[in-house]
Amino acid sequence: MPRPPAPRKTTGRPARISREEIIRTARRIVAEEGVDRLTMRRLATGIGSTPMALYHHVRDKEELLLLLLDDHAARSLRRPEPPPTDPRDRVLTAALAIHDVLAACPWIVEVLTADDLMSTSALWFVEQIVAGLTACGLTLDQAVHGYRAIWYYTAGEILVRTTAARRRTDDDRPVYRDQVFAGLDPAELPHLSRAAPRWAALTSQDTYEQGLRALVNGLLTPH
């Protein structure tokens, strides 16, 4: 007796993808594998979808990174309540808030250093820095330049610290600097020779706030 035909399989509609799921999966990929590994194809695999389906929600990788930046800023940046009334304190408080959020998620600094991507959610903190500097007597142009100096210092401090930590994690061999410092000539480099045994410990200390205060004081000192 012939077998009845097998029922036809229907694919039906593909599972709906939410923007929240896209952001959540992209955040996990970046945290575990790095920004370079975040591609539309890798994201689609992580979600269990296709790159074509993602393009209905996200135009390209740049828009995806912007979504991640805004999501992180909205979740992590907290405006001080109430904001400091002293303009110098407004600058310091805003810069410290930006630093603390980025230090906890250093991959964002790598994205932001492209200098053409920024989180709109973080612009309030940038406004506080520029406004505080102008209230201290700088022109608007000088305040923008001052913000840029603060940003370069902040981003550089995080990148150097993160890269050094990654280097120590990935490779436990003595770093090249230690080999060089071990053979310094005290006659030629007396100060570096004296500091050499403590150089690693000294440079690993968290002195961001101390340096920030010195930088802001310098920006506000009349020339």
Side-chain angles (χ1 to χ4, degrees):
M1 182 176 178
R3 294 182 179 179
R8 295 177 60 186
K9 293 183 179 180
T10 58
T11 57
R13 291 186 177 182
R16 293 178 63 87
I17 304 172
S18 67
R19 177 161 288 201
E20 291 73 18
E21 183 181 9
I22 290 174
I23 293 175
R24 183 171 59 252
T25 305
R27 190 167 61 234
R28 177 178 56 78
I29 293 172
V30 168
E32 295 177 357
E33 304 175 26
V35 178
D36 292 340
R37 290 283 295 166
L38 181 62
T39 64
M40 299 298 279
R41 184 176 298 278
R42 175 68 185 87
L43 179 59
T45 301
I47 293 177
S49 182
T50 65
M52 188 60 65
L54 293 179
Y55 287 118
H56 292 291
H57 301 271
V58 183
R59 182 178 63 252
D60 51 25
K61 181 176 179 178
E62 181 172 299
E63 183 179 0
L64 178 60
L65 289 173
L66 287 172
L67 287 175
L68 286 176
L69 290 176
D70 269 338
D71 172 72
H72 185 73
R75 289 186 299 105
S76 305
L77 276 174
R78 295 289 178 265
R79 299 181 183 186
E81 294 293 345
T85 55
D86 180 78
R88 189 183 299 250
D89 286 343
R90 289 169 64 189
V91 173
L92 294 170
T93 299
L96 285 167
I98 292 173
H99 174 271
D100 290 347
V101 168
L102 295 180
C105 202
W107 67 264
I108 291 182
V109 180
E110 299 179 29
V111 175
L112 291 175
T113 48
D115 219 28
D116 58 352
L117 294 178
M118 64 172 57
S119 167
T120 55
S121 299
L123 290 181
W124 183 88
F125 293 84
V126 179
E127 170 71 17
Q128 299 309 301
I129 293 175
V130 174
L133 292 175
T134 56
C136 288
L138 299 188
T139 67
L140 180 59
D141 289 2
Q142 291 171 333
V144 172
H145 293 159
Y147 161 72
R148 183 180 61 180
I150 292 171
W151 165 241
Y152 285 178
Y153 167 61
T154 301
E157 195 269 351
I158 294 173
L159 284 176
V160 170
R161 185 177 295 276
T162 302
T163 303
R166 186 184 304 130
R167 162 71 170 79
R168 289 191 296 269
T169 300
D170 295 342
D171 191 345
D172 58 0
R173 293 176 301 174
V175 298
Y176 181 65
R177 180 201 61 214
D178 294 341
Q179 301 175 35
V180 172
F181 273 34
L184 292 181
D185 182 358
E188 182 181 3
L189 304 169
H191 292 85
L192 292 184
S193 297
R194 288 167 52 199
R198 298 179 293 118
W199 190 271
L202 289 172
T203 55
S204 65
Q205 294 175 3
D206 183 0
T207 58
Y208 171 78
E209 183 172 352
Q210 176 184 342
L212 174 65
R213 291 182 180 277
L215 174 58
V216 172
N217 288 341
L219 290 171
L220 298 178
T221 299
H223 298 287

